[in-house]
């Protein structure tokens, strides 16, 4: 999306982010305002994290930038509201969420 150390995403970027995260959290049955327990499949090490977090929550990086990182609480809340079916991108845009397109089935190539 970009470097948000000194600036926030545009309204279009913000709306798209909320839309994508709302759909992903619904598809994965995650509470966007809640936590998850991540278990490393190789080592078995477990860690409790926000369902929506920044790369810096996992490693030494500045991503997604200080301004965006400080806005992750709003991202969680607005994603939860969008997922709950308010039907709009939360925030200033007020643009209706587009319908999710029907995806074609993927054939099982292994049979």
């Amino acid at each position: 999306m970009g470097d948000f150390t000194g600036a926030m995403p545009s309204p279009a970027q913000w709306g798209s982010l909320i839309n994508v995260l709302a759909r992903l959290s619904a598809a994965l049955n995650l509470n966007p305002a809640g936590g998850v327990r991540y278990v490393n499949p190789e080592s078995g090490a477990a860690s409790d994290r926000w369902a929506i977090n920044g790369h810096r929550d996992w490693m030494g990086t500045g991503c997604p930038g200080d301004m965006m990182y400080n806005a992750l609480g709003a991202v969680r809340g607005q994603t939860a509201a969008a997922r709950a079916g308010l039907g709009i991108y939360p925030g200033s845009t007020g643009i209706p969420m587009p319908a999710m397109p029907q995806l074609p089935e993927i054939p099982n190539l292994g049979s």
Side-chain angles (χ1 to χ4, degrees):
M1 257 178 53
D3 177 1
F4 301 105
T5 300
M8 288 294 289
S10 71
Q13 288 174 311
W14 185 273
S16 294
L17 176 66
I18 299 303
N19 186 29
V20 167
L21 291 176
R23 292 173 189 278
L24 281 173
S25 65
L28 298 171
N29 197 28
L30 296 173
N31 175 357
V36 295
R37 175 168 275 268
Y38 172 77
V39 179
N40 184 306
E42 293 182 18
S43 70
S47 179
D48 295 324
R49 306 291 173 124
W50 286 106
I52 296 174
N53 57 64
H55 289 143
R56 69 173 68 178
D57 292 322
W58 296 90
M59 66 181 83
T61 178
C63 186
D66 292 341
M67 291 190 77
M68 187 65 192
Y69 188 79
N70 291 333
L72 287 179
V75 170
R76 292 180 196 107
Q78 291 182 13
T79 299
R83 182 177 169 195
L86 294 179
I88 62 168
Y89 296 114
S92 62
T93 63
I95 301 168
M97 287 178 62
M100 180 82 166
Q102 183 65 36
L103 300 176
E105 286 191 36
I106 299 172
N108 183 352
L109 300 176
S111 55

mmCIF file of all heavy atoms in Angstrom, residues 84-105:
data_model
loop_
_atom_site.group_PDB
_atom_site.id
_atom_site.type_symbol
_atom_site.label_atom_id
_atom_site.label_comp_id
_atom_site.label_asym_id
_atom_site.label_seq_id
_atom_site.Cartn_x
_atom_site.Cartn_y
_atom_site.Cartn_z
ATOM 1 N N ALA A 84 -19.903 -6.687 9.861
ATOM 2 C CA ALA A 84 -21.215 -6.865 10.488
ATOM 3 C C ALA A 84 -22.347 -6.493 9.531
ATOM 4 O O ALA A 84 -23.510 -6.651 9.885
ATOM 5 C CB ALA A 84 -21.297 -6.045 11.760
ATOM 6 N N GLY A 85 -22.020 -6.009 8.357
ATOM 7 C CA GLY A 85 -23.041 -5.795 7.350
ATOM 8 C C GLY A 85 -23.594 -4.391 7.274
ATOM 9 O O GLY A 85 -24.729 -4.206 6.844
ATOM 10 N N LEU A 86 -22.809 -3.396 7.653
ATOM 11 C CA LEU A 86 -23.295 -2.032 7.525
ATOM 12 C C LEU A 86 -23.453 -1.636 6.065
ATOM 13 O O LEU A 86 -24.179 -0.710 5.745
ATOM 14 C CB LEU A 86 -22.354 -1.055 8.240
ATOM 15 C CG LEU A 86 -22.288 -1.214 9.759
ATOM 16 C CD1 LEU A 86 -21.309 -0.208 10.339
ATOM 17 C CD2 LEU A 86 -23.662 -1.038 10.379
ATOM 18 N N GLY A 87 -22.748 -2.321 5.178
ATOM 19 C CA GLY A 87 -22.916 -2.102 3.757
ATOM 20 C C GLY A 87 -22.219 -0.882 3.193
ATOM 21 O O GLY A 87 -22.454 -0.526 2.045
ATOM 22 N N ILE A 88 -21.388 -0.204 3.985
ATOM 23 C CA ILE A 88 -20.626 0.922 3.456
ATOM 24 C C ILE A 88 -19.187 0.786 3.907
ATOM 25 O O ILE A 88 -18.884 0.101 4.877
ATOM 26 C CB ILE A 88 -21.176 2.293 3.916
ATOM 27 C CG1 ILE A 88 -21.100 2.423 5.444
ATOM 28 C CG2 ILE A 88 -22.571 2.526 3.406
ATOM 29 C CD1 ILE A 88 -21.338 3.813 5.951
ATOM 30 N N TYR A 89 -18.301 1.448 3.188
ATOM 31 C CA TYR A 89 -16.945 1.559 3.671
ATOM 32 C C TYR A 89 -16.999 2.507 4.855
ATOM 33 O O TYR A 89 -17.406 3.656 4.698
ATOM 34 C CB TYR A 89 -16.014 2.170 2.621
ATOM 35 C CG TYR A 89 -15.843 1.367 1.368
ATOM 36 C CD1 TYR A 89 -16.311 1.849 0.159
ATOM 37 C CD2 TYR A 89 -15.198 0.155 1.397
ATOM 38 C CE1 TYR A 89 -16.128 1.131 -1.007
ATOM 39 C CE2 TYR A 89 -15.015 -0.570 0.239
ATOM 40 C CZ TYR A 89 -15.476 -0.082 -0.955
ATOM 41 O OH TYR A 89 -15.289 -0.794 -2.100
ATOM 42 N N PRO A 90 -16.633 2.075 6.045
ATOM 43 C CA PRO A 90 -16.612 3.018 7.158
ATOM 44 C C PRO A 90 -15.629 4.149 6.880
ATOM 45 O O PRO A 90 -14.703 3.995 6.103
ATOM 46 C CB PRO A 90 -16.147 2.156 8.333
ATOM 47 C CG PRO A 90 -16.470 0.760 7.925
ATOM 48 C CD PRO A 90 -16.284 0.737 6.426
ATOM 49 N N GLY A 91 -15.842 5.251 7.488
ATOM 50 C CA GLY A 91 -14.976 6.395 7.278
ATOM 51 C C GLY A 91 -15.685 7.457 6.474
ATOM 52 O O GLY A 91 -16.897 7.531 6.445
ATOM 53 N N SER A 92 -14.924 8.241 5.773
ATOM 54 C CA SER A 92 -15.492 9.419 5.134
ATOM 55 C C SER A 92 -16.061 9.173 3.748
ATOM 56 O O SER A 92 -16.754 10.026 3.218
ATOM 57 C CB SER A 92 -14.412 10.503 5.044
ATOM 58 O OG SER A 92 -13.350 10.040 4.236
ATOM 59 N N THR A 93 -15.807 8.016 3.123
ATOM 60 C CA THR A 93 -16.202 7.872 1.727
ATOM 61 C C THR A 93 -17.691 7.610 1.563
ATOM 62 O O THR A 93 -18.305 8.139 0.650
ATOM 63 C CB THR A 93 -15.419 6.735 1.045
ATOM 64 O OG1 THR A 93 -15.733 5.509 1.684
ATOM 65 C CG2 THR A 93 -13.929 6.993 1.106
ATOM 66 N N GLY A 94 -18.302 6.782 2.397
ATOM 67 C CA GLY A 94 -19.716 6.462 2.257
ATOM 68 C C GLY A 94 -20.043 5.725 0.969
ATOM 69 O O GLY A 94 -21.181 5.697 0.533
ATOM 70 N N ILE A 95 -19.051 5.101 0.352
ATOM 71 C CA ILE A 95 -19.265 4.381 -0.902
ATOM 72 C C ILE A 95 -19.811 2.988 -0.583
ATOM 73 O O ILE A 95 -19.249 2.279 0.239
ATOM 74 C CB ILE A 95 -17.937 4.250 -1.680
ATOM 75 C CG1 ILE A 95 -17.368 5.633 -1.987
ATOM 76 C CG2 ILE A 95 -18.122 3.438 -2.949
ATOM 77 C CD1 ILE A 95 -15.944 5.599 -2.493
ATOM 78 N N PRO A 96 -20.917 2.577 -1.209
ATOM 79 C CA PRO A 96 -21.442 1.235 -0.935
ATOM 80 C C PRO A 96 -20.417 0.162 -1.282
ATOM 81 O O PRO A 96 -19.679 0.280 -2.251
ATOM 82 C CB PRO A 96 -22.663 1.131 -1.852
ATOM 83 C CG PRO A 96 -23.010 2.536 -2.181
ATOM 84 C CD PRO A 96 -21.725 3.313 -2.152
ATOM 85 N N MET A 97 -20.387 -0.888 -0.467
ATOM 86 C CA MET A 97 -19.487 -1.998 -0.748
ATOM 87 C C MET A 97 -20.002 -2.760 -1.957
ATOM 88 O O MET A 97 -21.186 -3.085 -2.038
ATOM 89 C CB MET A 97 -19.405 -2.944 0.455
ATOM 90 C CG MET A 97 -18.631 -2.384 1.615
ATOM 91 S SD MET A 97 -18.590 -3.466 3.060
ATOM 92 C CE MET A 97 -17.760 -4.891 2.414
ATOM 93 N N PRO A 98 -19.137 -3.054 -2.923
ATOM 94 C CA PRO A 98 -19.586 -3.830 -4.075
ATOM 95 C C PRO A 98 -19.866 -5.266 -3.675
ATOM 96 O O PRO A 98 -19.330 -5.775 -2.696
ATOM 97 C CB PRO A 98 -18.393 -3.754 -5.037
ATOM 98 C CG PRO A 98 -17.221 -3.462 -4.164
ATOM 99 C CD PRO A 98 -17.740 -2.679 -2.993
ATOM 100 N N ALA A 99 -20.745 -5.898 -4.433
ATOM 101 C CA ALA A 99 -21.058 -7.308 -4.173
ATOM 102 C C ALA A 99 -19.828 -8.154 -4.446
ATOM 103 O O ALA A 99 -19.036 -7.862 -5.347
ATOM 104 C CB ALA A 99 -22.212 -7.760 -5.062
ATOM 105 N N MET A 100 -19.667 -9.206 -3.667
ATOM 106 C CA MET A 100 -18.551 -10.128 -3.872
ATOM 107 C C MET A 100 -18.837 -10.955 -5.118
ATOM 108 O O MET A 100 -19.903 -11.567 -5.223
ATOM 109 C CB MET A 100 -18.421 -11.037 -2.645
ATOM 110 C CG MET A 100 -17.317 -12.017 -2.720
ATOM 111 S SD MET A 100 -15.781 -11.221 -2.248
ATOM 112 C CE MET A 100 -14.757 -12.639 -2.001
ATOM 113 N N PRO A 101 -17.941 -10.962 -6.090
ATOM 114 C CA PRO A 101 -18.201 -11.749 -7.300
ATOM 115 C C PRO A 101 -18.156 -13.237 -7.002
ATOM 116 O O PRO A 101 -17.452 -13.685 -6.096
ATOM 117 C CB PRO A 101 -17.059 -11.346 -8.233
ATOM 118 C CG PRO A 101 -15.974 -10.866 -7.332
ATOM 119 C CD PRO A 101 -16.662 -10.288 -6.123
ATOM 120 N N GLN A 102 -18.940 -13.997 -7.735
ATOM 121 C CA GLN A 102 -18.924 -15.446 -7.609
ATOM 122 C C GLN A 102 -17.662 -15.963 -8.282
ATOM 123 O O GLN A 102 -17.436 -15.696 -9.458
ATOM 124 C CB GLN A 102 -20.173 -16.060 -8.259
ATOM 125 C CG GLN A 102 -20.266 -17.553 -8.099
ATOM 126 C CD GLN A 102 -20.435 -17.979 -6.646
ATOM 127 O OE1 GLN A 102 -21.103 -17.299 -5.877
ATOM 128 N NE2 GLN A 102 -19.839 -19.082 -6.265
ATOM 129 N N LEU A 103 -16.841 -16.650 -7.542
ATOM 130 C CA LEU A 103 -15.591 -17.164 -8.095
ATOM 131 C C LEU A 103 -15.824 -18.549 -8.683
ATOM 132 O O LEU A 103 -16.579 -19.351 -8.120
ATOM 133 C CB LEU A 103 -14.524 -17.227 -7.006
ATOM 134 C CG LEU A 103 -14.184 -15.892 -6.350
ATOM 135 C CD1 LEU A 103 -13.192 -16.098 -5.235
ATOM 136 C CD2 LEU A 103 -13.638 -14.912 -7.372
ATOM 137 N N PRO A 104 -15.188 -18.854 -9.800
ATOM 138 C CA PRO A 104 -15.352 -20.182 -10.382
ATOM 139 C C PRO A 104 -14.681 -21.236 -9.507
ATOM 140 O O PRO A 104 -13.738 -20.956 -8.789
ATOM 141 C CB PRO A 104 -14.651 -20.070 -11.736
ATOM 142 C CG PRO A 104 -13.668 -18.969 -11.559
ATOM 143 C CD PRO A 104 -14.267 -18.016 -10.553
ATOM 144 N N GLU A 105 -15.215 -22.449 -9.579
ATOM 145 C CA GLU A 105 -14.584 -23.536 -8.846
ATOM 146 C C GLU A 105 -13.265 -23.885 -9.516
ATOM 147 O O GLU A 105 -13.141 -23.823 -10.748
ATOM 148 C CB GLU A 105 -15.498 -24.773 -8.843
ATOM 149 C CG GLU A 105 -16.671 -24.615 -7.924
ATOM 150 C CD GLU A 105 -17.415 -25.921 -7.730
ATOM 151 O OE1 GLU A 105 -16.763 -26.987 -7.692
ATOM 152 O OE2 GLU A 105 -18.629 -25.861 -7.629
#
